[in-house]
Amino acid sequence: MLRSLVGSEMCIRDSPHIVGENIDDVIFAQGFAVAEDRLWQIEFLRLVGQGRLAEYVGAAAVKMDKQTRTLNFKKAAQMLCDAASPSDIALVQRYVDGINFYLDQNQVRPPEFMIMSTKFMFYHQPAKFVVGDTCMLARLLQWQLGTNLPVEMKRWKVFWNSERTLSEINELFVDQTNMSNTILTPTDMNINQQDAVNARAREANDNVVEQQIYEDFFYPRRASLNAAAPSSSTKEEVEEHHFDLMDLMHLEASNAWVARAAGGATSMGASDPHLQITLPSIWYYSHLTFKFADASNGGALTQHDVGGVGLPGIPGIHIGKSTHVSWGITMSMTDLIDLWALVADPANPDTHYLHNGTSVPFTTRTEVIKVKMGGDK
């Protein structure tokens, strides 16, 4: 099927092959195609990130909504949008414009929307998409890739439920920060000797601060709880039950490689991020063709072809190839998440915590979770 939308772009089906005069047009058409093929998927993920799943599927989703709102994905998404460049935001805006154009032009909704509807015998009608929704989906992906959270929880539990010192805990949970995980040289990464010296100094200072925190607070607190209730389940309350959203984290490995015969002119690459197998797929294939100003050729308009897979709800091609280059992505099992233990202010433990010796009031938020066929939570 060959279709022209509102501008220069055309979308050739079955898998979308989109041809346009410029990148703005093809990104708009990509948003349209994603909405046509994966509307339920991007709407469902948006509701997960917003903590509004129970509003459309019922009480079974209340726990996940509480966790999502506790983690404040909404604020995290806004921070990501705020940090993006104006040119990136403009492209994302074109993408969501394409999604919304589909919503305006087509009234047929996926069958899942009948189940999700809050009105009997009516289909769920999604709200218009905004740039923040794309940032939300990106944050959900980051959460899925943050595989070190279970390790952080386990590390804390081993300390809390034993008499081990911080140095002994560090022997059990090896710090891989300084282990080389790249084939690139410092020169390739534009890192000089002073950068390395500065990094080691920051790390040494962090270690001193951490040791002091353990000595001043965690060791005495653990000892006092042991003395008060050595055989009770008090310490076992340090569990990850508040983080069932960790169920989204199933990344056990990730790899990418490139191979070329000695002296050969061509290479073969593979990208295997080991993300979850889902239905519909986490990946969405598209092929984009557009013209761009080639700075290496005096700004002349040059046709650009790029094809591959991306995540529905996020514009562009994330694993694929262009006219001149192929690329992949992999997850290096890096430490992306940190946990903080806030020390309650003994004078006002319910309302204040201590930061650098200063009493700081907790910031509170009131969240109301609507529940389909149930009361608000």
Side-chain angles (χ1 to χ4, degrees), residues 40-99:
W40 175 80
Q41 184 180 18
I42 60 177
E43 171 68 348
F44 186 86
L45 290 173
R46 175 169 68 164
L47 294 174
V48 170
Q50 292 175 341
R52 296 178 58 208
L53 205 53
E55 187 175 341
Y56 298 97
V57 304
V62 168
K63 190 173 183 179
M64 179 172 283
D65 283 350
K66 287 182 177 179
Q67 294 161 2
T68 305
R69 298 200 191 197
T70 299
L71 292 167
N72 207 354
F73 273 83
K74 183 178 180 180
K75 181 179 180 180
Q78 187 58 55
M79 292 172 64
L80 184 61
C81 284
D82 292 343
S85 68
S87 59
D88 286 344
I89 292 296
L91 282 179
V92 175
Q93 184 62 61
R94 288 294 288 161
Y95 185 79
V96 298
D97 286 346
I99 295 175

Side-chain angles (χ1 to χ4, degrees), residues 217 341-355 359-360 362:
F217 180 75
L342 295 181
V343 179
D345 182 353
N348 299 287
D350 295 329
T351 60
H352 288 67
Y353 64 96
L354 297 178
H355 177 66
S359 180
V360 181
F362 287 115

Side-chain angles (χ1 to χ4, degrees), residues 133-365:
D133 295 328
T134 289
C135 294
M136 179 78 75
L137 299 186
R139 286 303 196 194
L140 283 175
L141 176 65
Q142 288 181 321
W143 178 258
Q144 182 180 344
L145 297 180
T147 56
N148 66 292
L149 179 57
V151 178
E152 298 271 349
M153 298 294 294
K154 184 179 295 184
R155 181 179 186 272
W156 174 253
K157 288 169 62 180
V158 169
F159 166 78
W160 198 248
N161 295 317
S162 71
E163 301 301 325
R164 291 182 173 90
T165 65
L166 175 60
S167 61
E168 291 171 334
I169 295 297
N170 287 336
E171 289 180 3
L172 293 172
F173 297 88
V174 179
D175 181 4
Q176 303 182 43
T177 303
N178 296 320
M179 294 183 181
S180 177
N181 60 356
T182 176
I183 62 174
L184 301 177
T185 66
T187 301
D188 293 331
M189 297 185 290
N190 195 29
I191 297 175
N192 58 40
Q193 184 62 33
Q194 189 58 48
D195 292 329
V197 171
N198 293 341
R200 297 296 181 270
R202 290 193 299 269
E203 180 186 7
N205 181 70
D206 290 344
N207 291 340
V208 170
V209 172
E210 183 180 28
Q211 181 67 42
Q212 196 65 48
I213 290 173
Y214 271 75
E215 291 178 0
D216 290 349
F217 180 75
F218 292 138
Y219 290 151
R221 180 63 173 165
R222 184 178 66 179
S224 65
L225 287 177
N226 275 342
S231 60
S232 75
S233 61
T234 303
K235 294 188 297 180
E236 296 296 338
E237 293 176 3
V238 184
E239 294 283 355
E240 60 264 29
H241 60 271
H242 292 301
F243 294 98
D244 283 358
L245 206 58
M246 286 193 297
D247 290 343
L248 294 177
M249 300 177 179
H250 291 294
L251 191 70
E252 299 296 336
S254 185
N255 47 66
W257 52 263
V258 177
R260 184 179 67 180
T266 59
S267 303
M268 176 183 294
S271 183
D272 186 10
H274 288 217
L275 299 184
Q276 283 181 282
I277 297 175
T278 61
L279 188 65
S281 171
I282 194 171
W283 298 116
Y284 181 78
Y285 177 86
S286 54
H287 171 217
L288 314 177
T289 302
F290 56 93
K291 295 178 181 178
F292 73 105
D294 187 354
S296 65
N297 192 25
L301 289 178
T302 304
Q303 181 165 298
H304 190 68
D305 273 286
V306 57
V309 297
L311 294 155
I314 303 176
I317 305 298
H318 308 148
I319 298 177
K321 62 180 181 178
S322 70
T323 308
H324 305 290
V325 66
S326 300
W327 67 91
I329 56 176
T330 187
M331 171 61 187
S332 301
M333 317 304 285
T334 47
D335 187 340
L336 299 177
I337 297 176
D338 288 320
L339 299 180
W340 277 265
L342 295 181
V343 179
D345 182 353
N348 299 287
D350 295 329
T351 60
H352 288 67
Y353 64 96
L354 297 178
H355 177 66
N356 292 334
T358 302
S359 180
V360 181
F362 287 115
T363 300
T364 61
R365 287 182 290 117

